[in-house]
Amino acid sequence: MLTIYEPIVSGTAISFEITPPTAEEFGQRVRELQERNPWLVCETRDRLLGFAYSRPHRSRPAYQWSVEVSVYVDSKHLRQGVGQALYTSLLNVLRLQGYRNVYALINIPNPASTALHRSMGFEPLVVFKSVGHKLGAWHDVQWWQLILRDKRPRRPQPPLSMADVQKLDGWARALRSGLDVFEKTGED
């Protein structure tokens, strides 16, 4: 995963990190999130094509039904359905867990990411102008939102942990949903 992420950090403003994390730092990030949040990879023929994950939107308890998501695809496999496949599975897992809102933050302009999020049902919310400086320039970012559930119960149950959601009948189907999308692109 770091092999995919490192050039994005080093050579683009897609990520606002300035220095790529070490393998140890990256591994720690994955371990910290995995208890409550899905972290999925797409690989074929022993090649890692991309990864997607969610993280808490904010730390205060009232935000617990909202998450932020990210997807990163190997540069050799862009526009081949990898991002859409990963997001399809990720969003279905988040639905199973009981999350209501999903947010994505996109550095703009980024037509490929904008198109991916729009195709997944995300809607643009707000643009923060010149919010980050990287690679000698100021960059804008845009928040996007996808509402997974319209229902707003008076006393919602906390989202399920990853251990609990993996016990549900829908777990395998949620993961398979992204594979079905990927297989339709013709990648084998």
Side-chain angles (χ1 to χ4, degrees):
M1 289 183 288
L2 190 52
T3 303
I4 292 170
Y5 187 62
E6 191 172 45
I8 291 169
V9 172
S10 298
T12 76
I14 291 171
S15 168
F16 275 9
E17 283 196 77
I18 304 296
T19 305
T22 65
E24 183 179 307
E25 291 169 333
F26 197 82
Q28 184 60 32
R29 291 177 189 182
V30 175
R31 286 187 296 278
E32 286 175 1
L33 289 175
Q34 282 185 321
E35 184 178 321
R36 298 228 51 93
N37 298 91
W39 193 296
L40 307 178
V41 297
C42 178
E43 58 183 348
T44 182
R45 295 185 188 161
D46 299 324
R47 290 178 300 163
L48 184 64
L49 306 182
F51 62 95
Y53 62 94
S54 74
R55 65 185 163 276
H57 176 60
R58 296 286 182 262
S59 61
R60 293 187 176 139
Y63 287 110
Q64 68 182 301
W65 294 273
S66 297
V67 292
E68 294 176 30
V69 294
S70 294
V71 63
Y72 295 97
V73 177
D74 184 287
S75 62
K76 296 179 209 99
H77 299 283
L78 295 172
R79 294 176 183 83
Q80 294 178 13
V82 176
Q84 188 175 17
L86 283 163
Y87 261 174
T88 297
S89 290
L90 182 66
L91 296 172
N92 283 328
V93 169
L94 294 170
R95 281 184 187 93
L96 278 176
Q97 286 183 274
Y99 287 105
R100 184 174 187 282
N101 298 298
V102 178
Y103 297 97
L105 187 62
I106 303 172
N107 180 330
I108 57 171
N110 186 335
S113 187
T114 298
L116 172 62
H117 286 85
R118 194 175 302 282
S119 77
M120 299 305 301
F122 284 79
E123 295 181 3
L125 294 177
V126 64
V127 173
F128 291 95
K129 301 275 187 187
S130 299
V131 72
H133 189 271
K134 184 174 178 186
L135 301 174
W138 288 99
H139 300 277
D140 301 343
V141 297
Q142 185 172 38
W143 278 103
W144 289 66
Q145 178 182 26
L146 174 66
I147 299 173
L148 293 176
R149 322 173 161 268
D150 283 329
K151 188 177 177 185
R152 291 179 276 189
R154 288 180 55 87
R155 292 186 182 96
Q157 296 298 310
L160 298 174
S161 69
M162 287 305 299
D164 289 336
V165 80
Q166 289 175 17
K167 296 174 189 172
L168 298 177
D169 290 337
W171 169 252
R173 190 170 45 255
L175 292 180
R176 177 72 198 183
S177 64
L179 184 57
D180 291 343
V181 167
F182 186 65
E183 288 174 346
K184 288 179 187 176
T185 66
E187 180 74 32
D188 54 359

